[in-house]
Amino acid sequence: MFHTGLRSGTAVKAAEEAGPDAELYFQRCRWCHTTTFQRLLCPTCGSTELSPELSEGEGVISVRRGVAAADADLWPVYMTEGFTVRCRVDGPLHAVRPGVRVKVSSGVGTTGRRPVVRLCEEVPLDGWI
């Protein structure tokens, strides 16, 4: 189970893998209701009052720019709750591109602190150009 959560509303708990289903926790500001991922302050109002919430785990791969070689396998994923998280994508390379729907997964191997998402729809090799 991939679990990224908060303890006492401030300290971010390290991610871990323990099973086939995955859970992804994000934060919501108690003042302005902005959603964010693994922050100490709200990016909109600067409040420290962030409450943890469980994500539905569904999102869409976003456009990535200025990718460093060390982060070549990470993609920004815009989640349905309104926050963006950088994830490893489990799927064929030709199908991983902006606009494809994904769902949080536990993945194949150890991922450290990055969530793993899998493709919700299979894209044919010759059908995307």
Side-chain angles (χ1 to χ4, degrees):
M1 168 148 96
F2 182 85
H3 178 83
T4 301
L6 299 173
R7 189 168 288 188
S8 302
T10 57
V12 178
K13 183 180 173 187
E16 57 188 82
E17 255 185 15
D21 294 328
E23 292 180 343
L24 182 67
Y25 283 86
F26 65 98
Q27 300 154 289
R28 186 178 305 273
C29 177
R30 293 183 184 170
W31 289 96
C32 69
H33 306 288
T34 299
T35 57
T36 188
F37 185 70
Q38 294 185 347
R39 297 277 181 106
L40 295 176
L41 299 173
C42 172
T44 303
C45 70
S47 171
T48 59
E49 295 187 37
L50 302 173
S51 59
E53 292 187 21
L54 179 62
S55 172
E56 291 179 14
E58 296 180 0
V60 176
I61 297 176
S62 299
V63 176
R64 64 180 182 174
R65 294 181 174 91
V67 179
D71 295 335
D73 61 341
L74 297 177
W75 284 83
V77 176
Y78 183 77
M79 304 303 284
T80 56
E81 293 83 8
F83 66 96
T84 302
V85 60
R86 291 167 40 106
C87 303
R88 298 189 192 285
V89 180
D90 182 23
L93 291 177
H94 74 274
V96 179
R97 64 178 194 283
V100 175
R101 292 183 322 114
V102 293
K103 185 160 181 67
V104 175
S105 171
S106 64
V108 192
T110 304
T111 62
R113 296 179 49 96
R114 297 294 179 189
V116 175
V117 293
R118 62 179 163 75
L119 302 176
C120 288
E121 51 204 39
E122 203 52 48
V123 179
L125 183 59
D126 59 352
W128 68 280
I129 295 180

